[in-house]
């Protein structure tokens, strides 16, 4: 009778329901974290650049690389946030070879300056991780007049990578890692309006930039054959980071009260979002693998549009012209 009365108590009942719900949510979240790169590979002596590394996936990538002994250059736009992240990582890992360097991917001048300064400090580069990105932002332009998502996510990294190819080739075997997204499967390269000058849809522009990442990866892999430099793209998963800052339904009062708690179990933490990046950068089994696409530390197929070799060559030619490489 005492137990029955206990179960009939409304506060106890709702406390029990809440506890069960939280337990289920935590269980689901654990399942949704995806693959984990748990190999003990060290990175001692390796020189690595990680763009957009003061928060989110990039920061967690640097943290793990620092633990493994790498010398990491954090290429960031916001130097204050970068230095705060660097200090945190250095104190935690006791790896003093972590550096903050200014690199605004929305400015070709900034990218050139970053590369020039890097080459003065380092004679080689083992791994370049193109991690930085913007997502679904209101229409705006880079300092060079490009639509922001195309300019940062694709053109900025296109220029940075090409300017660093000589260092990567001298350091072969070396790797390039491109953080793309599953959104590339919804992407379409708007050949008639690549820079979204005639019309702009924030979602389509983001998807286009992520498809451009994969097309760039596949075309670059062909151009690097025989050099000892590999390049692969990846989808990190749906990760709870500042990348969502421009999406109103994630940032409104309603979202924080109702929507975010509902989707929380299905979002990866930045630590788990970094796992496929670490896999692509460090796994010894990928020594000769290039031009591929990974998710959850496993090989995945890309969208049909990403296999269009003619489109990849067209995009490369336009990107060369717009970034003034040729």
């Amino acid at each position: 009778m005492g137990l029955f009365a206990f179960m009939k108590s409304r506060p106890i009942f709702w406390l029990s329901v809440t506890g069960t719900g939280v337990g289920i949510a935590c269980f689901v979240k654990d399942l949704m974290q995806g693959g984990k790169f748990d190999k003990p590979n060290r990175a001692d002596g390796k020189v690595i650049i990680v763009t957009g590394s003061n928060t989110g996936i990039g920061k967690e990538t640097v943290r793990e690389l620092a633990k493994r002994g790498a010398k990491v250059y954090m290429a960031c736009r916001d130097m204050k946030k970068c230095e705060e992240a660097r200090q945190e990582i250095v104190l935690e890992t006791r790896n003093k070879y972590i550096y903050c360097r200014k690199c605004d991917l929305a400015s070709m001048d900034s990218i050139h300056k970053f590369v020039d300064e890097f080459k003065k400090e380092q004679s080689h580069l083992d791994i370049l991780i193109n991690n930085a990105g913007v997502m679904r932002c209101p229409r705006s332009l880079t300092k060079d007049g490009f639509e922001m998502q195309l300019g940062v996510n694709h053109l900025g990294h296109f220029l940075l990578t090409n300017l660093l190819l000589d260092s990567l080739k001298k350091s072969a075997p070396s790797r390039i890692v491109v953080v793309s997204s599953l959104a590339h499967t919804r992407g379409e390269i708007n050949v008639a309006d690549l820079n979204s000058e005639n019309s702009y849809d924030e979602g389509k522009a983001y998807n286009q930039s992520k498809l451009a990442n994969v097309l760039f990866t596949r075309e670059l892999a062909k151009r690097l054959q025989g050099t000892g430099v590999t390049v692969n793209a990846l989808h990190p998963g749906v990760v709870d980071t500042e990348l969502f800052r421009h999406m109103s339904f994630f940032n409104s009062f309603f979202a924080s009260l109702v929507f975010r708690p509902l989707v929380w179990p299905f979002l990866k933490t930045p630590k788990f979002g970094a796992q496929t990046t670490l896999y692509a950068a460090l796994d010894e089994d990928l020594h000769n693998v290039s031009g591929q696409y990974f998710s959850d530390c496993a090989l995945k197929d890309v969208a049909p549009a990403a296999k269009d070799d003619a489109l990849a060559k067209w995009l490369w030619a336009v990107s060369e012209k717009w970034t003034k490489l040729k």
Side-chain angles (χ1 to χ4, degrees):
M1 189 67 179
L3 179 62
F4 181 72
F6 173 81
M7 293 300 293
K8 285 182 67 178
S9 170
R10 286 191 176 184
I12 296 298
F13 172 77
W14 287 113
L15 185 62
S16 176
V17 169
T18 301
T20 302
V22 170
I24 292 173
C26 291
F27 176 72
V28 171
K29 190 171 185 68
D30 186 59
L31 289 178
M32 296 302 292
Q33 296 309 296
K36 190 175 189 305
F37 180 64
D38 52 10
K39 292 185 178 180
N41 302 48
R42 297 288 301 173
D44 299 288
K46 290 187 180 296
V47 178
I48 303 175
I49 294 173
V50 184
T51 66
S53 48
N54 57 281
T55 61
I57 296 171
K59 180 179 177 181
E60 293 305 317
T61 300
V62 174
R63 190 192 308 277
E64 188 59 35
L65 291 172
K67 290 178 181 177
R68 294 169 185 255
K71 181 179 291 185
V72 186
Y73 280 75
M74 301 172 69
C76 299
R77 178 178 59 85
D78 189 324
M79 285 293 93
K80 182 176 182 296
K81 288 185 177 180
C82 184
E83 182 58 29
E84 289 172 353
R86 187 196 72 83
Q87 290 182 15
E88 176 189 320
I89 291 169
V90 169
L91 286 172
E92 178 185 335
T93 64
R94 297 185 179 182
N95 180 345
K96 65 180 181 180
Y97 299 109
I98 311 298
Y99 309 104
C100 283
R101 295 294 183 267
K102 176 82 171 180
C103 185
D104 183 355
L105 289 165
S107 166
M108 289 195 292
D109 182 58
S110 178
I111 295 168
H112 277 280
K113 286 181 179 178
F114 168 81
V115 172
D116 289 343
E117 291 175 5
F118 173 81
K119 289 181 178 179
K120 289 176 183 177
E121 295 179 31
Q122 296 294 333
S123 59
H124 71 286
L125 173 62
D126 298 286
I127 304 171
L128 169 63
I129 300 178
N130 292 328
N131 167 81
V134 291
M135 178 180 181
R136 290 176 172 265
C137 57
R139 178 168 171 76
S140 57
L141 301 178
T142 68
K143 293 178 181 178
D144 305 288
F146 304 120
E147 184 276 313
M148 188 62 69
Q149 296 183 89
L150 179 71
V152 171
N153 298 350
H154 169 59
L155 291 171
H157 282 127
F158 177 90
L159 176 61
L160 177 67
T161 302
N162 276 281
L163 292 177
L164 289 168
L165 281 182
D166 55 346
S167 297
L168 287 158
K169 289 175 181 178
K170 285 190 296 185
S171 310
S174 54
R175 301 186 186 190
I176 303 165
V177 179
V178 180
V179 179
S180 181
S181 168
L182 185 63
H184 89 273
T185 61
R186 302 187 296 275
E188 179 181 352
I189 302 298
N190 190 342
V191 176
D193 189 24
L194 182 63
N195 202 35
S196 303
E197 294 173 343
N198 299 326
S199 64
Y200 178 72
D201 178 278
E202 58 195 27
K204 289 182 179 179
Y206 177 72
N207 297 342
Q208 174 180 249
S209 72
K210 293 290 102 178
L211 175 57
N213 288 157
V214 183
L215 287 167
F216 165 61
T217 298
R218 291 169 63 84
E219 177 64 19
L220 180 58
K222 294 176 182 178
R223 293 168 180 256
L224 290 175
Q225 286 181 359
T227 65
V229 184
T230 62
V231 54
N232 292 293
L234 63 93
H235 168 54
V238 183
V239 187
D240 192 2
T241 71
E242 289 185 4
L243 195 62
F244 293 114
R245 63 186 176 274
H246 295 297
M247 301 176 70
S248 59
F249 67 84
F250 258 85
N251 300 312
S252 67
F253 174 76
F254 173 79
S256 62
L257 191 66
V258 178
F259 185 71
R260 183 172 282 276
L262 290 176
V263 301
W264 176 82
F266 305 98
L267 298 176
K268 285 186 178 183
T269 63
K271 177 180 178 180
F272 279 93
Q275 296 304 305
T276 305
T277 299
L278 295 166
Y279 167 74
L282 300 176
D283 196 296
E284 65 273 8
D285 292 340
L286 302 182
H287 179 68
N288 293 313
V289 176
S290 192
Q292 301 302 314
Y293 174 79
F294 300 95
S295 179
D296 284 331
C297 300
L299 182 66
K300 303 291 182 182
D301 199 10
V302 295
K307 300 177 182 179
D308 189 331
D309 292 339
L311 182 61
K313 286 181 172 59
W314 178 87
L315 180 63
W316 185 283
V318 172
S319 300
E320 272 189 331
K321 180 179 179 181
W322 285 5
T323 58
K324 299 179 181 179
L325 281 172
K326 279 192 177 180

